[in-house]
Amino acid sequence: MIVELGQFCLILAFALAILQTLVPLVGAGRGWRGWMAFAEPAALAQFLLLGVSFVALVRAFVVSDFSVRIVVENSHSLKPMLYKVTGTWGNHEGSMLLWVLILALFGAAAAWFGGNLPATLRARVLAVQGSIGAAFLGFVIFTSNPFDRVAFPPLDGRDLNPLLQDPGLAFHPPFLYLGYVGLSMAFSFAIAALIEGRVDAAWGRWVRPWTLAAWVNLTIGIALGSWWAYYELGWGGFWFWDPVENASFMPWLIAAALLHSAIVVEKREALKSWTILLAILAFGFSLLGTFIVRSGVLTSVHAFASDPTRGVFILALFAIFVGGGLTLYAWRASAMEAKGVFGLVSRETGLVLNNVLLAVAALVVFVGTLWPLVAEMAFGRVLSVGPPFFDAAFTPFMVALALALPVGAMLAWKRGDLGRSARALWPAAALAVAVGALAFAVQTGRSALAPVGFALGVWVVAGAAVDLWARTGRAGGRLGRLARLPRGDWGRAVAHAGLGVTFIGVAAMTAWSVEDIRVAQVGESWEVAGYDVTLAEVTEGRGPNYLTTMARIEMGRGGATATLFPEKRTYPVAAMPTTEAAISGGIWRDLYVVIGDPQAAGGWAVRTYVKPFANWIWGGSILMALGGALSLTDRRLRFAAPARRAARPVPAE
């Protein structure tokens, strides 16, 4: 009965989304206040209906209702409760229900907090958001219904993919969806502004918090996915330029560019056309990511589904929304005349450079991700584009971004003084060079990657600190004024510093990692990067729904010893093994060991890694997300700027 209630609420939400699309649009076009007001209760009701539907599906997983098809295919009665709950979105159908629930959440938030928007703009934003909801609810109901029943329920299920039975993967998809779907709000604001033919400073102020919220969640989601790949897959890496990794990274880059260009719209009423385009592209890349994950056109360990029919449906939605948005953009281009002018040396120019670098970097990732598919379809050639291409093509743009970031942040609006900014930043430059030289001195016979990465990272972090300090003025009492700076300033500095910390972690881990792969006997010892490693014992055991082979490995240096317990698990129901790496983490390095299969000649395959500065990668990601969240608490972002002139009265219906 509860399953049927979930299905009924899903259908009602679909019908309501259609009404939310049509009624406010007509009302805004005709100036009918009552029709425009319909958008708000419709958005709230749609969210409530989808909330009930999602709870019904979660309950089916929790109670192991094996009359529901996706519960049979993705759950098991012995599975731990955490993974019963998260199994709700560990499959295509359930994850799409979560997708539309989050979409409705953003629509409801816009209805709840959008009271200070002009009535016509609010109605059109919610109408566009409703149209996206209607399209994807139709996709869920007609191609991916999570409430399908089975005619003859089995006694037990087939279990969830063992790779997804992990805390990192339990929380990684929801954060990614909050990022992906959150960018729909930027798209809705862009389309609504194009329909009205008006993009001004107030619009730039309104669109920023929605984009920032999406970017923060996307940052957390990507970091969680990277962290999961690092410790769960057992290969010791944090990023492999996998198509699905790229699918989340591309909208992250475009959203970062959109955040910075919206600042120029708000402050100077310039870059209007470019900002609207970025808002459309950011959501377009989110839809592209959805297509890649669910169509099966590109192979990935992260992919949810491989149904071409669903892929065609999503591709059609991509064409409708992105193609329609770009068509409207071309039609309304003349209405987005820039008012602000600025010099070649100015903060506006720095933000333009930031946008160009981020956009071109996203284009590089886009080409590298889809080129194998294009080559196979167009030329019949099977190609593989891997990390060497991305490392060589993507890295220069990030280096340029790191070099430009502190300088651009220090320049004044409209007309800056490059010499003055350079003088203020010379301590940061000196510190960066010193740290780079130190990194070069401590390494022997290795590449320049680590010294350059350290220098760039320190340059960005120190530049963010100098920028904050410069905002306190020249007179006394600067520490007190530092504490009273707006949260937006602090958030920007923390986010930029997080990027610098990530640069340091990536450079050190890539350049200085040490790897040892061998067959070891129980009791055997060996040396890796100055650490004495001993395979002390290997035991067999049983978990809630898996069998495990667990090793005890001792690693020591200078009197300090760490005991690690790597595992090799086998899930009998899914008939699938997984690798559980054991990691002894620290600020300066990770000790990382993996136990493999027993060998025919005796002994066990053991992989040992020493990963310098590994946690700086995720620490930097946390700082970036924290900086974004701190900016969101700034009153200037939480409350939209008032329009510059009184809005024309809207006639009553």
Side-chain angles (χ1 to χ4, degrees):
M1 178 65 182
I2 294 180
V3 171
E4 279 68 34
L5 175 63
Q7 174 78 72
F8 181 65
C9 288
L10 188 63
I11 295 171
L12 279 182
F14 175 53
L16 195 57
I18 295 174
L19 291 175
Q20 182 184 330
T21 302
L22 298 176
V23 174
L25 273 183
V26 174
R30 300 287 184 93
W32 296 342
R33 188 179 298 276
W35 285 46
M36 287 189 287
F38 174 80
E40 298 168 35
L44 294 169
Q46 186 188 155
F47 172 64
L48 291 175
L49 287 169
L50 287 173
V52 172
S53 184
F54 187 75
V55 169
L57 187 61
V58 171
R59 179 190 176 278
F61 273 86
V62 168
V63 303
S64 297
D65 184 352
F66 295 119
S67 68
V68 180
R69 181 178 55 81
I70 66 168
V71 179
V72 174
E73 294 175 351
N74 299 279
S75 192
H76 191 273
S77 58
L78 296 179
K79 192 167 62 173
M81 181 56 68
L82 172 64
Y83 304 130
K84 285 186 178 181
V85 174
T86 60
T88 308
W89 56 82
N91 58 85
H92 168 71
E93 292 84 354
S95 66
M96 284 307 305
L97 183 57
L98 178 62
W99 206 99
V100 294
L101 174 65
I102 293 174
L103 185 71
L105 170 64
F106 276 96
W112 188 265
F113 297 110
N116 50 2
L117 294 172
T120 54
L121 180 64
R122 181 171 66 249
R124 285 174 172 136
V125 166
L126 291 175
V128 175
Q129 196 73 5
S131 70
I132 300 171
F136 277 92
L137 281 167
F139 172 71
V140 171
I141 292 171
F142 297 117
T143 73
S144 311
N145 189 354
F147 297 104
D148 276 352
R149 296 276 197 178
V150 294
F152 302 100
L155 295 176
D156 220 325
R158 302 175 191 169
D159 208 358
L160 179 66
N161 183 338
L163 288 175
L164 302 180
Q165 296 187 40
D166 180 88
L169 259 290
F171 302 105
H172 162 63
F175 278 107
L176 270 188
Y177 294 167
L178 283 166
Y180 276 155
V181 181
L183 291 174
S184 67
M185 285 304 305
F187 176 83
S188 296
F189 269 95
I191 299 302
L194 288 173
I195 293 173
E196 291 202 348
R198 176 183 174 185
V199 179
D200 55 14
W203 180 90
R205 174 71 58 90
W206 288 321
V207 81
R208 277 179 62 200
W210 299 104
T211 306
L212 184 57
W215 182 85
V216 167
N217 284 291
L218 200 52
T219 302
I220 296 172
I222 292 172
L224 283 174
S226 172
W227 180 56
W228 166 80
Y230 174 64
Y231 73 80
E232 176 66 21
L233 298 183
W235 58 287
F238 63 94
W239 194 262
F240 196 65
W241 296 105
D242 177 274
V244 176
E245 292 175 337
N246 296 346
S248 60
F249 193 42
M250 288 184 286
W252 185 88
L253 291 168
I254 297 297
L258 173 59
L259 279 173
H260 291 86
S261 64
I263 296 173
V264 182
V265 175
E266 177 190 346
K267 301 290 187 182
R268 303 292 303 152
E269 292 210 31
L271 301 186
K272 294 179 181 180
S273 180
W274 173 246
T275 303
I276 291 287
L277 179 61
L278 285 177
I280 296 171
L281 292 180
F283 183 58
F285 275 115
S286 295
L287 293 181
L288 180 65
T290 304
F291 170 73
I292 289 174
V293 173
R294 301 171 194 281
S295 64
V297 296
L298 294 172
T299 304
S300 169
V301 69
H302 306 79
F304 270 124
S306 56
D307 186 344
T309 304
R310 292 168 176 167
V312 169
F313 201 119
I314 296 174
L315 199 59
L317 295 182
F318 176 86
I320 291 170
F321 285 106
V322 179
L326 292 176
T327 301
L328 183 59
Y329 169 78
W331 179 46
R332 286 290 201 178
S334 60
M336 293 178 285
E337 180 184 356
K339 295 182 180 179
V341 294
F342 50 87
L344 182 62
V345 178
S346 62
R347 184 174 298 183
E348 292 92 331
T349 300
L351 290 170
V352 169
L353 178 60
N354 161 287
N355 272 226
V356 170
L357 292 172
L358 288 170
V360 175
L363 179 63
V364 168
V365 179
F366 174 77
V367 171
T369 303
L370 291 188
W371 181 248
L373 176 62
V374 174
E376 185 173 355
M377 294 177 61
F379 310 113
R381 299 179 59 189
V382 179
L383 299 176
S384 176
V385 177
F389 165 80
F390 290 105
D391 292 342
F394 179 81
T395 303
F397 297 103
M398 292 298 100
V399 171
L401 181 67
L403 289 172
L405 196 60
V407 179
M410 292 291 294
L411 290 173
W413 292 103
K414 194 173 181 179
R415 186 173 292 105
D417 186 337
L418 190 58
R420 180 178 178 182
S421 298
R423 286 191 297 273
L425 285 167
W426 77 261
L431 181 61
V433 171
V435 171
L438 178 63
F440 182 80
V442 299
Q443 71 174 22
T444 55
R446 300 185 184 181
S447 72
L449 174 61
V452 171
F454 269 80
L456 287 174
V458 171
W459 165 246
V460 173
V461 174
V466 169
D467 181 31
L468 270 183
W469 187 250
R471 293 177 184 278
T472 61
R474 295 176 177 274
R478 299 181 73 174
L479 289 178
R481 286 197 294 274
L482 186 66
R484 294 191 297 271
L485 284 177
R487 293 176 186 175
D489 292 346
W490 275 99
R492 180 181 62 254
V494 171
H496 288 178
L499 181 63
V501 170
T502 301
F503 280 166
I504 293 173
V506 170
M509 187 171 168
T510 303
W512 291 346
S513 290
V514 177
E515 175 183 4
D516 179 89
I517 302 176
R518 66 177 62 227
V519 175
Q521 305 290 334
V522 175
E524 181 180 350
S525 298
W526 63 97
E527 188 269 338
V528 178
Y531 287 89
D532 296 320
V533 186
T534 302
L535 177 59
E537 66 174 341
V538 179
T539 58
E540 305 289 335
R542 178 183 293 273
N545 60 334
Y546 59 84
L547 305 175
T548 179
T549 299
M550 180 183 293
R552 178 165 63 87
I553 295 179
E554 307 284 348
M555 294 187 69
R557 186 174 70 174
T561 302
T563 303
L564 298 98
F565 297 93
E567 295 182 66
K568 190 80 172 182
R569 294 179 180 177
T570 301
Y571 291 76
V573 175
M576 181 176 175
T578 65
T579 299
E580 303 293 325
I583 303 172
S584 174
I587 296 176
W588 308 113
R589 57 93 188 109
D590 275 2
L591 305 179
Y592 184 113
V593 294
V594 177
I595 186 72
D597 296 322
Q599 304 300 298
W604 297 82
V606 179
R607 281 179 289 162
T608 310
Y609 303 88
V610 178
K611 300 283 187 180
F613 290 82
N615 289 308
W616 288 47
I617 298 172
W618 298 287
S621 300
I622 292 171
L623 283 176
M624 283 189 279
L626 180 62
L630 191 60
S631 293
L632 274 175
T633 65
D634 193 316
R635 187 182 184 279
R636 295 173 300 172
L637 278 183
R638 288 186 287 116
F639 297 91
R644 293 191 173 183
R645 57 180 63 90
R648 187 175 55 189
V650 179
E653 181 183 349

